[in-house]
Amino acid sequence: MVAKHLQDTTTLYNGVNMPWLGLGVFKVEEGAEVVRTVKTAIQHGYRSIDTASIYGNEAGVGQGIREGMKEAGISREDIFVTSKVWNSDLGYESTIAAYEASLNKLGLDYLDLYLIHWPVVGKYKEAWRALEKLYKEGRVKAIGVSNFQIHHLQELMQHAEIKPMVNQVEYHPRLTQKELHSFCREHGIQLEAWSPFMQGLLLGNEVLQEIAAKYNKSVTQVILRWDLQHGVVTIPKTTKAHRMIENASIFDFSLTDEEMKRIDDLNKNERVGPHPDHFDF
């Protein structure tokens, strides 16, 4: 079922409902800017916020969530909050400590989703054991990974008691990750896209512009609709209210099979972020 509304959700394999569309806050400055951004998103109907310890803005995100919930008259259960454990904290005890530090900064009692940010060789299996413990204790609603390739997932699942519920990766029309997407689907792992607009590099693409003109939509709306029709959760980042409204206005049109294929065919396996096999941080 394709979502019909901003607050529509996909059901993760453990029964947890995760909104199809959320707000990412990568590089949104801690303090007034991130507080305002999160609060504005909630006011405009967003119910999913994605941050990470390395972003350095969890305290502001938490404040924005509290203020936004109060103004919108909603409760904690209505908001889906994601954070991620950074590479330097990967390890059993250190991951548990990192989770507690994130909760403390956010001012929350639990997270809806906690992810391993990058697959650091020799470290992510111990970190996953910690995530399994947090999950079994009911301290987090869902656990997952970010930037994992098929071989990372296979390696992890050989040793895991619980398989990841989500894999958040770079995903856009120049990097369609079809094999990875297919693998995740087969194993019931929800794919989630970061950098859906390829940091703005896709905005001038002629194919996307042509399709956008047909529907009287923007290129970003076409990309988000393409994500949705592929069953991919997406967290576009913006600090501007009009962009939040624009990004959420994707439920009143549908791309045809031919248009979906034309967008798929833009793939060149191009990344704007590091390759998960060749990062060194």
Side-chain angles (χ1 to χ4, degrees):
M1 182 204 88
V2 174
K4 306 232 174 4
H5 186 271
L6 174 58
Q7 288 166 18
D8 279 355
T9 57
T10 180
T11 304
L12 305 180
Y13 80 75
N14 67 335
V16 166
N17 293 323
M18 179 178 188
W20 282 106
L21 197 66
L23 177 80
V25 296
F26 176 57
K27 289 189 175 173
V28 182
E29 192 178 336
E30 175 64 296
E33 185 181 45
V34 77
V35 172
R36 177 185 51 76
T37 298
V38 171
K39 199 161 64 167
T40 302
I42 292 171
Q43 285 166 350
H44 288 293
Y46 284 78
R47 295 294 179 261
S48 174
I49 310 292
D50 178 281
T51 185
S53 62
I54 195 67
Y55 299 172
N57 58 15
E58 288 173 313
V61 167
Q63 186 182 335
I65 289 170
R66 285 187 296 280
E67 292 182 12
M69 287 191 310
K70 189 175 179 184
E71 287 183 15
I74 58 174
S75 63
R76 169 68 183 93
E77 290 69 34
D78 297 317
I79 300 279
F80 191 98
V81 185
T82 302
S83 195
K84 312 173 194 84
V85 54
W86 186 243
N87 304 346
S88 55
D89 290 321
L90 294 183
Y92 185 73
E93 298 293 348
S94 51
T95 294
I96 290 171
Y99 180 78
E100 286 165 354
S102 283
L103 272 192
N104 191 39
K105 284 178 188 162
L106 285 157
L108 300 174
D109 295 327
Y110 68 92
L111 286 180
D112 297 276
L113 179 63
Y114 197 46
L115 306 176
I116 292 176
H117 209 146
W118 288 88
V120 179
V121 177
K123 283 190 165 186
Y124 62 78
K125 282 185 275 191
E126 278 298 286
W128 187 255
R129 252 189 350 109
L131 264 61
E132 289 179 327
K133 175 182 166 66
L134 292 166
Y135 177 72
K136 286 182 203 166
E137 290 175 349
R139 300 192 61 204
V140 60
K141 303 288 186 191
I143 51 176
V145 294
S146 184
N147 302 302
F148 275 48
Q149 302 283 87
I150 290 172
H151 70 92
H152 297 121
L153 290 167
Q154 287 171 327
E155 172 77 10
L156 185 68
M157 290 193 297
Q158 277 176 5
H159 302 273
E161 286 181 55
I162 302 164
K163 68 184 175 184
M165 287 136 205
V166 172
N167 185 17
Q168 185 187 115
V169 299
E170 182 178 344
Y171 179 92
H172 45 69
R174 288 274 192 233
L175 183 69
T176 55
Q177 307 240 43
K178 281 199 169 170
E179 295 81 7
L180 176 62
H181 193 184
S182 176
F183 180 89
C184 286
R185 252 199 310 263
E186 282 166 31
H187 292 275
I189 300 168
Q190 175 63 51
L191 200 71
E192 181 178 14
W194 62 260
S195 199
F197 312 136
M198 203 179 178
Q199 293 180 1
L201 295 176
L202 288 166
L203 301 186
N205 182 274
E206 288 179 7
V207 170
L208 295 170
Q209 286 178 335
E210 181 194 320
I211 295 169
K214 172 186 164 183
Y215 293 104
N216 196 26
K217 292 288 181 181
S218 66
V219 167
T220 55
Q221 287 170 319
V222 167
I223 292 170
L224 292 172
R225 182 71 203 183
W226 172 78
D227 285 351
L228 197 61
Q229 288 183 218
H230 270 317
V232 176
V233 168
T234 315
I235 43 165
K237 175 214 149 184
T238 182
T239 58
K240 298 179 174 64
H242 73 278
R243 290 271 181 240
M244 292 176 195
I245 294 164
E246 180 184 311
N247 289 344
S249 303
I250 57 170
F251 302 99
D252 56 354
F253 77 108
S254 292
L255 300 170
T256 65
D257 291 346
E258 184 203 359
E259 287 160 349
M260 289 291 288
K261 185 177 185 309
R262 286 184 73 197
I263 299 171
D264 289 350
D265 288 345
L266 296 174
N267 180 55
K268 290 189 175 177
N269 296 323
E270 285 178 6
R271 295 176 182 273
V272 286
H275 193 290
D277 287 330
H278 309 295
F279 66 97
D280 60 349
F281 45 79

